[in-house]
Amino acid sequence: MAVRPILRFPDARLRMPAAEVLAFDAETRALADDLRDTMRAAPGIGITAPHLGILKRLVVIELPDEAIVRIYVNPRIVWMAEETREHAEGSVSMPGVTETVERPARVRLRYHDLDGVEHEEEAEGLLGVCLQHEIDQLDGIFWIQRLSRLRRERVVKRFGKMTKAA
């Protein structure tokens, strides 16, 4: 278990789709542990293997005030509600900036656990937002691509100023 370096925007690997995990083995479990430790150190509430430059479909989520670490292997959304909600989002790859993103209010997804067993689950609220955000990342869609051009440019400019000031 280790804290690994996180790719920073605008690294091109953040826009590359991730490959399915085929081996449910000790290496995949170790990567999930490293993702958890890296996410906590960032700090964040969700992280994917691509955030570490590893193009595998693996997500770890730990919501505030919950004592559970959720691990999703090869998650995919199979249904989205027509109703939408807005929520502030950000990224461990672009720390310090957030912006409101509109997404479906509920989703249903299929995924595997670390033993390779397939599950289906519905999610809404913060968990639903996190899952959509992280699955986008697995598909090579960085969160700011969900913003209008003007709002995206403002976020990039804000992040650039913060990075120069650091």
Side-chain angles (χ1 to χ4, degrees):
M1 294 180 260
V3 174
R4 297 194 194 186
I6 296 172
L7 298 181
R8 294 286 185 232
F9 176 84
D11 193 300
R13 291 172 288 179
L14 293 169
R15 292 196 178 167
M16 296 176 72
E20 285 204 16
V21 172
L22 302 175
F24 298 87
D25 56 11
E27 184 179 320
T28 300
R29 288 178 187 282
L31 177 57
D33 287 343
D34 288 356
L35 282 167
R36 181 200 60 224
D37 294 346
T38 303
M39 175 187 67
R40 287 175 174 169
I45 61 172
I47 195 168
T48 66
H51 283 110
L52 307 184
I54 301 166
L55 296 177
K56 292 185 176 182
R57 295 185 71 82
L58 181 60
V59 173
V60 174
I61 293 174
E62 186 175 37
L63 299 180
D65 305 321
E66 287 191 13
I68 182 171
V69 175
R70 293 176 167 91
I71 299 169
Y72 300 89
V73 183
N74 300 328
R76 65 189 184 285
I77 295 172
V78 295
W79 174 84
M80 295 182 211
E82 289 184 27
E83 178 188 0
T84 61
R85 293 260 158 65
E86 291 184 340
H87 198 279
E89 296 187 27
S91 175
V92 294
S93 290
M94 198 179 212
V97 294
T98 60
E99 186 57 70
T100 302
V101 179
E102 184 177 8
R103 295 188 182 270
R106 285 189 339 270
V107 293
R108 184 178 308 121
L109 67 146
R110 286 198 187 106
Y111 66 96
H112 293 88
D113 61 26
L114 286 171
D115 294 318
V117 177
E118 188 173 59
H119 300 271
E120 187 169 302
E121 135 183 0
E122 266 194 39
E124 60 185 348
L126 184 57
L127 178 59
V129 169
C130 288
L131 284 164
Q132 292 175 75
H133 177 102
E134 302 305 351
I135 291 170
D136 268 358
Q137 185 65 62
L138 297 178
D139 293 338
I141 301 168
F142 195 64
W143 74 280
I144 62 172
Q145 291 174 260
R146 295 286 181 193
L147 303 173
S148 69
R149 185 178 57 79
L150 178 62
R151 289 172 56 217
R152 183 171 49 249
E153 288 171 358
R154 283 188 205 153
V155 167
V156 170
K157 189 175 184 177
R158 251 186 296 157
F159 184 65
K161 284 181 180 178
M162 289 174 55
T163 303
K164 287 179 185 173

